[in-house]
Amino acid sequence: MVFGTIFMMGANLFFGLDLLLSIATSSAVLILFFWTIFHQDIGNTAYNIAFGAFYISCFVFTSYINFRLNRERHHVFLNATEARKQHREAVERGKALLRLSNTDYLTGLENRRAIDQRLRDFWGEWQNSGKDFATLLVDVDFFKNYNDFYGHQAGDHCLVLVANALKEAMLPFGGLIGRYGGEEFIALVQTENADKVEEIGETLRRTVQSLAISHEPRKDGLHVVTVSVGASFTHLQCCEKMERLVTDADRALYSAKANGRNCVRIYDPADPHTGDSNEHIAALLRTAVQKGLVSVVYQPIINLKTGHVDAVETLMRMNLLDGSPVPPSVFIPIAERTGSIHDLGLWTIRQACKDILAPRLSPIVSVNVSPMQLKTKGFAQTVAAILEEYDVKGHQLALEITEGIDMAGQSDIILCLKDLGAMGINIWLDDFGTGFAGLSWLRLFNFGTVKIDRSFLQDCDSQQGRIMLKDIVSLIRNRGHKILVEGIETQDQLLLLQTMRIDQGQGYHLGRPVALPVLQDLLRADKSADIAFLPQDTTPKIVRKAATD
Ligand code: C2E
Ligand code: CA
Ligand code: CA
C-alpha cells in the first residue's frame, strides 16, 4: 500500500510522465489495490473504507495536480512555439528590410548604399591581398532630354531596360552592377589588366546601344539610347582613399561626355584629359584672379558694310605659374565643372567694363558666358551692379551664349536671359550650328545677333558648303537677327561674306585677339580712319593695314 501510494505520487507528480500514461499507471495501482482488498480479504470493512478512500483521494488529488502541471507545461510549450515563430518572422522581416534598403526600388539592382558597402569590401581585398578591381560609372546620354520628350514613365521604363541589360552583360565578367543615382549606374569588377577594363566598358556601352531604344530628339546623329562609361582601375593608380576611385571614374566619365558621349574612358593619371593636370588647373583656377593667372584679350568685330569696328569680343586667357598658357578649350570646361567659372565670368565682365566700356573705347563689348552662370540665382542683378559700378549702360554690353547646351526645359536660363534683356543687355547666340539645338534656341529666345560658327565658312571652299551657308544666313535673316560670321581668315572669305550682305565679321584676317594696349592702338586707328580701305565703290571695302596679333 505504501509503495503503491509512493508510485502513484511519483507517476503523477515527479516522473514528468505524459498525463494519460501517469493516469493509466496510477489507475493500475488503484485497481490492484481494490482487487487485493476484495479478493485477499486483508482487513475488515472499516479498514477497506478508510484505505480505499485514502487511495481514491490520493489518486484524484495527484491526478488533478498532474493535470494542472501538464496544462501549465502545455501553455509554456505553446508560448515557446509562438515565441520561436515570432522570432523567425522577425528575422525574415529584418532580412526583407535589409534587402529593401539595399535595393533600388525601380530597377531592382543594388542601390548606392549597398554598392558603397561592396566598394568597401573590394577595397579591403585590394589592400589586404592586392586584388585589383575596376570601378565603372555608366551614365545614360541625354537622359534629361529623353525624359522631357517621352515623359517620366517612359524614362523609368528605359532605365529598367538599361539596368537589366547591364546586369546581364556584367555576368560573364563576374562583376556586379548597381544604380548609383538618377541615370547613373556603377559596376565593380575584379580584374588584372587595363585592357580588360576597357573591354568591359565597351561591352556595357555596346550592350545598351544594341537595345536600340528609340531616342528621336537627339541631335548628334544617333537616334537610340546610349551610355558613356568612365572607369578607374586600382592598377593604374595608388590612392589612399577609397572615394578617390569613384571621383576618378567620374572624371573619366566627364571626359567621355566631353568627347561626344557614347564612348568609354579610363582614368589615367598620365592623360591630360582625365589626369592629375586637370586637378592642378582646377586648384589654380580657384585663386587665379588673385594670383594674376588669368587675363583677357580682345578681338575686334568688324562691320562688313562700313569697315569699322562695331564691337570687341572679350576672351579669357590663363597661364600656369611658370607662365605657360593653358588653352581655353582646357581650362574653361574645368572652370565650369568646378564652379570657378562663376567668379571668373564676373571678373571678365568687370574687366571688359573697366578696359573698354568705361573709357568708351568701343560702343559694344561682348563677353562669353557659360550656361551655369545664367543658372545662378542673382546673376542678372550682379551684372547690373557691375554696369552701375563702371557707369555703363546695358546696351553697351553683349553676352555671348553658346548653343552647345540643350536649352529646352531650362526655364531658369530663359528667365535670366529675359532679365538681362530687360536691362538692355544684348544677348548673342554664339557658335550657331555647332550644337544640337540651334534652331530651337532661335525659337525660345529673341537673340540680337547670331554668330555663325567658323566651320561653315571653312566649308565654303565647296559649292555645297556655300549653299549651306547661304541657307543658314537666309534662315537667320528671315527671323530678323543680325548676322555675324566667325573665323574669317582670308580675303576670299571676306569677299564672299560681303556679297552675301553679312552684317558683321570676325576672324584672324580682320584682327586677332590682342591685349588691351594693342587694341587701344587699333581702335584709335579705326576712329581716325587710319585703316586701309579699298576705293569706296569697289568691293571688298576693307583691307586691314596690319592684322595685329
Ligand atoms: P568662341 O566664343 O567661339 O571664341 C572665338 C574663338 O575663336 C577664340 O578662341 C578666338 O581666338 C578664335 N578665333 C577668332 N578668329 C579666328 C579665326 O579667324 N580662325 C580661328 N581658327 N580661330 C579664330 P579662344 O580664345 O581660344 O576661345 C575659345 C573658346 O573659349 C571661345 O570660343 C569661348 O567659347 C571660350 N571662352 C573664351 N573666353 C571665355 C570666357 O571669358 N568665358 C567663357 N565662358 N568662355 C570663354
Ligand atoms: Ca564667343
Ligand atoms: Ca564663337
Side-chain angles (χ1 to χ4, degrees):
M1 236 173 62
V2 171
F3 280 122
T5 309
I6 291 170
F7 183 81
M8 211 186 279
M9 291 172 107
N12 272 328
L13 304 180
F14 305 116
F15 295 167
L17 297 179
D18 194 67
L19 179 66
L20 286 178
L21 185 61
S22 49
I23 285 183
T25 49
S26 36
S27 302
V29 174
L30 191 68
I31 290 164
L32 192 68
F33 169 74
F34 281 110
W35 183 85
T36 313
I37 57 173
F38 287 127
H39 290 89
Q40 297 303 315
D41 204 14
I42 292 175
N44 56 27
T45 312
Y47 174 93
N48 287 350
I49 290 172
F51 282 96
F54 166 74
Y55 244 69
I56 288 174
S57 58
C58 186
F59 171 75
V60 171
F61 176 70
T62 55
S63 295
Y64 176 69
I65 295 203
N66 189 3
F67 166 71
R68 292 288 302 266
L69 278 176
N70 263 294
R71 205 170 60 172
E72 209 54 46
R73 244 181 269 144
H74 184 63
H75 280 155
V76 171
F77 167 75
L78 284 184
N79 285 344
T81 312
E82 180 65 24
R84 259 201 307 278
K85 188 172 145 229
Q86 279 179 3
H87 176 70
R88 233 184 357 253
E89 279 173 4
V91 170
E92 287 297 319
R93 254 199 320 275
K95 276 189 192 156
L97 263 174
L98 190 69
R99 235 185 351 260
L100 208 68
S101 68
N102 281 337
T103 307
D104 174 54
Y105 68 98
L106 179 68
T107 60
L109 296 181
E110 294 194 24
N111 62 13
R112 191 179 190 131
R113 196 184 120 100
I115 286 290
D116 280 343
Q117 182 53 47
R118 302 284 204 147
L119 188 60
R120 274 193 285 279
D121 297 344
F122 275 69
W123 175 266
E125 270 195 71
W126 179 54
Q127 297 269 301
N128 297 331
S129 44
K131 278 192 181 156
D132 282 310
F133 70 97
T135 309
L136 298 101
L137 288 177
V138 183
D139 192 272
V140 182
D141 297 325
F142 303 114
F143 190 66
K144 187 184 173 319
N145 172 271
Y146 185 94
N147 255 341
D148 290 346
F149 189 78
Y150 294 104
H152 285 264
Q153 227 168 353
D156 284 355
H157 182 60
C158 167
L159 286 181
V160 172
L161 292 178
V162 170
N164 290 341
L166 290 176
K167 192 173 172 185
E168 202 139 300
M170 211 52 208
L171 282 178
F173 301 108
L176 54 98
I177 188 126
R179 184 168 172 211
Y180 212 51
E183 68 269 32
E184 193 166 83
F185 299 90
I186 183 169
L188 299 174
V189 58
Q190 280 175 336
T191 178
E192 265 143 37
N193 65 63
D195 289 345
K196 191 81 185 167
V197 182
E198 179 104 43
E199 185 196 325
I200 296 170
E202 191 49 39
T203 307
L204 296 180
R205 186 200 67 73
R206 241 190 351 256
T207 303
V208 174
Q209 187 168 2
S210 62
L211 287 176
I213 306 170
S214 170
H215 185 180
E216 279 309 322
R218 279 172 76 130
K219 298 289 187 325
D220 62 348
L222 278 171
H223 296 294
V224 293
V225 169
T226 60
V227 290
S228 300
V229 183
S232 62
F233 183 37
T234 46
H235 195 69
L236 288 177
Q237 56 204 107
C238 49
C239 47
E240 299 86 42
K241 277 196 180 156
M242 184 182 75
E243 293 74 20
R244 183 72 200 268
L245 290 172
V246 180
T247 322
D248 291 346
D250 198 38
R251 208 170 288 167
L253 176 64
Y254 181 83
S255 158
K257 294 271 180 193
N259 270 283
R261 298 175 167 89
N262 191 24
C263 60
V264 182
R265 287 283 177 281
I266 299 181
Y267 175 82
D268 183 350
D271 175 357
H273 290 291
T274 62
D276 276 342
S277 69
N278 276 5
E279 193 105 311
H280 178 57
I281 292 171
L284 283 181
L285 279 171
R286 265 173 243 132
T287 52
V289 173
Q290 293 93 304
K291 292 202 177 113
L293 297 176
V294 280
S295 58
V296 286
V297 289
Y298 299 99
Q299 186 175 30
I301 291 170
I302 309 293
N303 184 318
L304 295 189
K305 293 184 182 104
T306 65
H308 286 290
V309 177
D310 263 358
V312 288
E313 177 177 3
T314 317
L315 294 160
M316 209 190 303
R317 292 286 174 264
M318 181 193 182
N319 289 317
L320 297 179
L321 289 168
D322 63 2
S324 53
V326 186
S329 55
V330 172
F331 78 83
I332 298 279
I334 299 177
E336 287 178 336
R337 180 164 55 84
T338 56
S340 304
I341 196 71
H342 297 290
D343 289 344
L344 289 174
L346 291 175
W347 175 83
T348 313
I349 297 177
R350 203 168 269 125
Q351 212 63 17
C353 288
K354 188 176 85 179
D355 289 350
I356 313 286
L357 297 181
R360 309 281 185 254
L361 277 184
S362 160
I364 292 183
V365 72
S366 76
V367 178
N368 295 284
V369 288
S370 293
M372 36 272 287
Q373 287 176 265
L374 300 171
K375 279 186 181 183
T376 319
K377 263 203 161 74
F379 176 72
Q381 286 81 341
T382 317
V383 174
I386 296 176
L387 293 184
E388 204 174 300
E389 187 185 334
Y390 291 97
D391 189 25
V392 260
K393 298 274 169 295
H395 65 83
Q396 293 176 271
L397 180 70
L399 296 181
E400 295 190 15
I401 158 159
T402 153
E403 59 144 84
I405 55 147
D406 184 5
M407 192 155 80
Q410 310 253 21
S411 50
D412 38 357
I413 292 191
I414 313 234
L415 277 179
C416 180
L417 290 180
K418 286 191 172 146
D419 284 350
L420 293 163
M423 284 153 48
I425 295 175
N426 304 282
I427 308 293
W428 295 356
L429 183 57
D430 199 3
D431 301 338
F432 182 83
T434 53
F436 49 83
L439 291 178
S440 56
W441 273 67
L442 288 186
R443 249 185 325 124
L444 287 166
F445 191 80
N446 192 19
F447 294 94
T449 297
V450 174
K451 298 180 77 171
I452 300 179
D453 188 68
R454 64 169 165 270
S455 54
F456 291 97
L457 191 56
Q458 278 157 8
D459 289 348
C460 278
D461 294 342
S462 69
Q463 173 78 7
Q464 221 176 4
R466 273 197 296 280
I467 294 173
M468 180 81 165
L469 181 64
K470 269 187 192 144
D471 287 346
I472 290 180
V473 166
S474 60
L475 185 137
I476 301 174
R477 188 168 283 147
N478 287 343
R479 293 197 56 89
H481 308 284
K482 215 179 204 180
I483 302 176
L484 186 159
V485 177
E486 300 182 293
I488 306 175
E489 292 180 346
T490 65
Q491 181 70 9
D492 288 346
Q493 289 174 337
L494 176 63
L495 262 170
L496 177 74
L497 296 179
Q498 285 188 309
T499 52
M500 284 185 185
R501 294 181 296 107
I502 302 295
D503 306 294
Q504 293 170 320
Q506 187 180 355
Y508 292 169
H509 183 64
L510 301 172
R512 285 183 178 248
V514 289
L516 179 64
V518 185
L519 182 85
Q520 284 167 333
D521 291 346
L522 189 90
L523 293 177
R524 222 173 283 127
D526 182 50
K527 277 208 179 102
S528 58
D530 190 18
I531 288 179
F533 288 97
L534 284 182
Q536 288 294 311
D537 47 350
T538 52
T539 42
K541 285 157 80 181
I542 313 160
V543 172
R544 305 212 66 82
K545 210 162 69 176
T548 345
D549 197 348

